Amino acid sequence: MGRKNLDMIARHSPDGHVRPLAFIWDDGNKYTVDTVMDIRKAASLKAGGFGLRFHCRIHGKEKYLFYDSDVWFMDV
Amino acid sequence: MRTILHSDLNYFYANVECFLNPSIRDKPVVVCGDIESRHGIILTKNPIARRHGVKTGEAVWEAKSKCPNLVTVDAHYDQYIKFSRAVRQIYDEYSDQREDFGIDESWIDCTGSTKLFGSGETIADEIRSRIKNEMGITASIGVSYNKVFAKLGSDYAPPDSIISFTEDNYKELVWKLPVSNLLYVGRATSKKLALLGIKTIGDLANFDAEVLHRHLGVWGIVIYRFANGKDESPVKRTGESSYIKSIGNSITAPRDLISKDDIRKVLYMLSESVSARLRSSHMKCTGIQIHVRDKDLASCDRQMTIKTPTYLTNEIAEKAFEIFEKKYNFTKPVRSIGVRAINLKDANMPYQLDLFHAEEKRMRWEQLEQTIDVCRERFGYNSILKGILLEEPELTHSNIKDEHTIHPSGYFKDGKVI
């Protein structure tokens, strides 16, 4: 149980919104975010952090990605 | 009828540390001031540590003797401020009238928001739930029609819950509580009330107001009104910065102060209280301001900076006396005098060490003063006093800290209760 900071590629729009596009994992592969289904402020007990929580579908799998203080992370 | 919430983040520092580090959540955890040196003091504990008998304010070695597998964590003030700010942003979505009481407590006046968001209880529960879901920490929230009862509510409510004290239930729920639970009723006032046979808030509420006035002055009337739910004090609006800006104590002496010796004694007494309050708020000051009023009621303020942030009585008192000697024209007897610690900094933040100052000696003084705090907590304020104050007890024998706690907003105007 813990937190993993991600090497994330994100889009920052002119109105200040942020969207995760893809991240590069330890295996060197790039995992694209297919869709973002929900965005809200939330805490991750598993990761021990809080921020903006993006409920995403990545390569068919659903996962939460968190954004806080310019860092992207997920629970592992 | 107002709707006031008081939100209190449960065992805040420990809660934040356990949230940030999942591996310690099921262990007894304490957050300490300075665990590197042997002089570490417990700032807060989680419920597991509490069950082992660990107490806030005791030394780390003491706590470890009760609980050998205690996990000690250094305070991370940047994180606490981050969490505190984020929680306050949640509060601000429900009202612009928020008054903070330290880093982990706030009053929120929701009177104007009930039409939009629902009853006080609905808002309180929504806030409680949001804090848990969005921040991963828990709060207790009291709901009532005045600040005093709202704070009693948050003290009374278990972690992660809300409680409502209404006009219909307060006699049943609030009046049975010990009178020392009432806001601003500390050890000294409780003792005085006990001598009058007052043990519970209900005893106080039903007591003779005249007799209270005779024994406790205007203060007696204030707490009498608190006990009867008649606290009218407003929740001040959200300001730029809600953190404590200064801590001061002043006194109108029982007789005019005519010599430098008199002044020095009273400054010491006031400085003791100011420094104890600084320590309990985890703050140090980098400036001292004195306020002097002479027998003709002409008054002035004078101040100086202190190079190294401090919360030690000696340093504050000596500085105050230095200001008095250098900057005040002492030609008339002094009627009242005050000491204020200004330009406050967090006590645990690093500061530039003064190479020419005896840092080790200063750390020993800090440990001594913290020990004095613990003694007073257990045995009463007057259980341990500075020698200089024994010279003239009538002048200096006052428990300034507990008897004259300063309010976030004024209860008095021109000596009358407002």
Side-chain angles (χ1 to χ4, degrees), chain B residues 130-374:
Chain B
R130 282 185 64 181
I131 292 175
K132 193 168 173 185
N133 292 333
E134 294 177 26
M135 330 270 319
I137 57 176
T138 60
S140 300
I141 304 185
V143 186
S144 193
Y145 54 100
N146 64 77
K147 285 167 78 177
V148 171
F149 280 6
K151 175 139 168 63
L152 272 172
S154 70
D155 289 342
Y156 194 70
D160 192 23
S161 70
I162 69 155
I163 200 158
S164 184
F165 288 148
T166 64
E167 278 199 312
D168 297 323
N169 72 11
Y170 80 87
K171 289 185 185 177
E172 185 201 325
L173 297 178
V174 174
W175 278 5
K176 65 180 186 198
L177 300 173
V179 76
S180 54
N181 284 15
L182 203 57
L183 190 60
Y184 306 123
V185 172
R187 190 179 283 270
T189 309
S190 304
K191 273 213 182 115
K192 286 187 187 169
L193 293 173
L195 288 172
L196 295 169
I198 297 171
K199 302 239 166 66
T200 65
I201 297 179
D203 290 342
L204 175 60
N206 293 304
F207 205 74
D208 186 332
E210 250 313 299
V211 177
L212 278 172
H213 191 192
R214 263 206 306 272
H215 285 260
L216 287 116
V218 193
W219 194 236
I221 302 296
V222 174
I223 58 174
Y224 170 81
R225 286 165 62 123
F226 283 0
N228 280 293
K230 297 237 187 323
D231 165 37
E232 301 290 330
S233 65
V235 173
K236 74 167 203 283
R237 280 173 194 275
T238 311
E240 260 287 319
S241 164
S242 309
Y243 294 104
I244 302 170
K245 292 204 162 69
S246 69
I247 290 181
N249 273 115
S250 62
I251 190 168
T252 300
R255 62 159 178 80
D256 283 350
L257 309 174
I258 52 175
S259 68
K260 280 203 177 156
D261 206 45
D262 284 349
I263 300 286
R264 197 195 196 104
K265 278 180 202 154
V266 178
L267 287 179
Y268 253 90
M269 175 183 66
L270 294 168
S271 301
E272 253 206 316
S273 162
V274 169
S275 63
R277 288 168 60 205
L278 281 168
R279 288 193 295 276
S280 73
S281 304
H282 308 302
M283 307 282 240
K284 286 183 178 175
C285 67
T286 55
I288 295 291
Q289 182 186 74
I290 66 169
H291 176 85
V292 189
R293 187 163 14 176
D294 66 26
K295 74 168 186 50
D296 294 330
L297 304 184
S299 67
C300 68
D301 292 328
R302 296 282 180 266
Q303 61 189 65
M304 279 175 82
T305 51
I306 294 185
K307 242 198 306 197
T308 315
T310 183
Y311 52 23
L312 297 178
T313 306
N314 282 353
E315 292 182 352
I316 292 173
E318 287 304 319
K319 195 65 174 180
F321 191 61
E322 185 189 338
I323 299 169
F324 184 84
E325 279 196 306
K326 286 186 178 164
K327 296 193 169 191
Y328 181 75
N329 191 10
F330 192 22
T331 49
K332 288 189 195 154
V334 166
R335 175 68 52 85
S336 72
I337 193 163
V339 175
R340 182 161 292 276
I342 59 175
N343 300 329
L344 303 187
K345 286 187 171 16
D346 193 284
N348 290 298
M349 282 190 176
Y351 58 87
Q352 179 62 45
L353 290 180
D354 184 349
L355 285 174
F356 302 105
H357 198 108
E359 223 23 72
E360 199 198 296
K361 185 175 178 189
R362 157 179 250 283
M363 279 177 72
R364 278 197 267 124
W365 269 114
E366 289 196 11
Q367 169 65 345
L368 173 64
E369 297 229 358
Q370 280 164 357
T371 309
I372 291 174
D373 288 342
V374 175

